Structure formats: structure tokens, C-alpha cells
Amino acid sequence: RIKRLIPSLTLFLLIVGILICFFDPDPKFSLRTGISSFFGLSNLYLLKQSTRYFAESTQLNVFTHTWSLGVEEQFYLLFPFMVWISGFGRQTKNGARNLFMSILFLIICSLIYFVNLYFNNQPAAYFLMPARFWEIATGCLLFLGMQKKLFLFKFLEKISPTLICLLMIGVLFLSPLSSAVLSTVLIVLLSALFIVCIKDGTKIFNLFTNKIIIHIGLLSYSLYLWHWGVLSLSRWTI
């Protein structure tokens, strides 16, 4: 991931940074956000500026969306220590169980923290890694549970992945903004459940393994990195 991240991010920052200097009469905020994103800190910089992600002003900052890179990289710095301390990385007898239980505990703490922050300090709930830890760590918990073939996962495998996919679409497009916390939790849980349920040979599996879909998936990181810069520069120009 690092090999893919650094060249893509460097090229993106360079090209978009030069362009925004031509069109933005005061590009300091955008450029500082971009520089901080190179070090995985743009989420903290945006929080320090009291940025609200969906505020109108953020549409003019070409690097606003790099907050997620900061959250991810901060998580990836922390997670290896958890893997090692738990014993999982050293393949000790109870390493997998220790890692599972420690991640589960931290997920619960992080989720409580996220919900509490959301109603008291939405920018912090949005930008801080501890408030986002539960979302990323759910995937780690899912991996450990599937690896150990826990009974719960065997039961969940019987649920229709098509039904789960339709529920996810419903949550994404039909949920009101007032239920944002519940919607966020549901999407994370449904995404994890979808991974458990999807099986080779089903129609939904064939759809997601279609060559075109896979190609889009392989391009998705670059598409994510560039899409906001294009939209933001369009607001400064056309």
C-alpha cells in the first residue's frame, strides 16, 4: 500500500497544488492541507481549523478529502503494535484470542467515543482516528472471526448476500441526515456481514467479480484521490 500511496499522492499534490495557485487568490489553506496530508496529518490540521466536512467552504479546498488518508495511516501505525503485543504476530498460543478480545474492547470504546463526540463535537467525531478506529478495526475483527470459523459466522453465512446488498443501498440513499450515527453503524455492520455471506457461484458474487467491476476496483484508490480535486477546481473555474 505504501508503494502505491507515496507516488500517487506526490503526483496528485504537485499537479493540483500548482493548479490551485493559479485559481485561488489565497491558496494557503489548501496548500497547508495538502502538505499535512503527505505526512498523514491532514485530518488533524482540518480539525484544528475547525473545519466542518460538509460546510460550503470545504468545497473550495482541493485537499479536504485527504483527511481519510490521515485516519488510515494513523491506524496503520498503531495496529502493528497491537498485533505484536497480543502475541498474534509472534504466533503464540493465545495470540489470536488476545488480539480478538483486545480489538473487540477497543471497538466498543471507540464506538462509544464516536457517538458521544458526534452529538457534542461533530468535526472531532469526523476527523479523529480514535473516533474512527471502530470502523477500520471491524475488518480486522472480521478476519480473525472467519479465520477461527466461529459458530456465529457459520450462522451468518446463511443470510442472503443480495438482501444485505439491497439493505446497504437503502441505508445509503434513503436514510435522513438526522440518523447519520445509526446509518454509519449500519453500513459498517452490513459491509462486514456482506463479506461473511458472499459465496462463490452466487449471482452477487459473479457481479462483484466481473472483470469491469474488478478493473474499477483496482482504479478506485486513484479515482478517490483525484475526484475531489477535479470537483473543487471546477468550482474555482467553470
Side-chain angles (χ1 to χ4, degrees):
R1 178 176 174 81
I2 296 298
K3 288 180 180 179
R4 181 181 59 173
L5 170 64
I6 294 178
S8 300
L9 185 58
T10 303
L11 181 63
F12 170 71
L13 291 175
L14 182 62
I15 294 176
V16 177
I18 292 172
L19 287 173
I20 200 63
C21 287
F22 282 102
F23 301 115
D24 185 351
D26 187 20
K28 287 186 293 184
F29 183 44
S30 281
L31 293 177
R32 287 172 180 172
T33 305
I35 293 169
S36 63
S37 72
F38 191 78
F39 298 98
L41 298 171
S42 58
N43 59 322
L44 300 180
Y45 177 74
L46 289 167
L47 178 62
K48 184 180 178 181
Q49 303 303 314
S50 300
T51 302
R52 298 183 72 88
Y53 189 75
F54 295 103
E56 196 169 324
S57 60
T58 62
Q59 298 175 13
L60 300 175
N61 183 343
V62 291
F63 300 119
T64 299
H65 66 310
T66 61
W67 70 270
S68 67
L69 299 179
V71 171
E72 288 180 51
E73 298 312 316
Q74 289 156 29
F75 176 86
Y76 295 144
L77 285 173
L78 172 66
F79 189 69
F81 291 101
M82 295 178 57
V83 172
W84 181 258
I85 293 171
S86 66
F88 184 80
R90 291 173 282 127
Q91 298 183 342
T92 59
K93 182 180 179 181
N94 296 318
R97 182 180 64 83
N98 293 340
L99 184 59
F100 185 93
M101 296 307 296
S102 59
I103 289 178
L104 179 60
F105 173 74
L106 290 174
I107 283 176
I108 294 171
C109 293
S110 175
L111 180 57
I112 293 171
Y113 184 54
F114 167 74
V115 173
N116 182 62
L117 271 183
Y118 186 86
F119 293 107
N120 295 286
N121 188 346
Q122 282 193 23
Y126 204 94
F127 290 122
L128 287 180
M129 188 276 286
R132 291 287 190 170
F133 177 91
W134 67 277
E135 294 175 282
I136 308 176
T138 296
C140 306
L141 202 67
L142 181 65
F143 166 77
L144 291 169
M146 293 178 71
Q147 188 182 54
K148 288 295 181 181
K149 298 181 179 179
L150 299 179
F151 174 77
L152 175 62
F153 286 83
K154 291 180 180 179
F155 172 76
L156 294 175
E157 286 177 359
K158 300 176 182 178
I159 302 174
S160 168
T162 304
L163 174 61
I164 300 301
C165 192
L166 291 174
L167 287 173
M168 290 171 68
I169 294 171
V171 171
L172 286 170
F173 291 100
L174 300 178
S175 298
L177 189 59
S178 58
S179 63
V181 172
L182 178 61
S183 299
T184 303
V185 174
L186 283 176
I187 280 296
V188 173
L189 292 177
L190 288 171
S191 298
L193 186 57
F194 183 75
I195 294 172
V196 174
C197 295
I198 193 167
K199 299 180 186 69
D200 192 357
T202 60
K203 291 181 179 180
I204 197 76
F205 180 89
N206 293 336
L207 173 64
F208 277 84
T209 54
N210 180 276
K211 290 182 179 180
I212 297 175
I213 300 297
I214 290 176
H215 183 66
I216 294 172
L218 293 172
L219 291 174
S220 62
Y221 175 76
S222 295
L223 291 174
Y224 167 76
L225 195 60
W226 285 91
H227 86 285
W228 186 254
V230 172
L231 291 173
S232 182
L233 284 168
S234 296
R235 289 187 175 275
W236 281 107
T237 53
I238 59 173

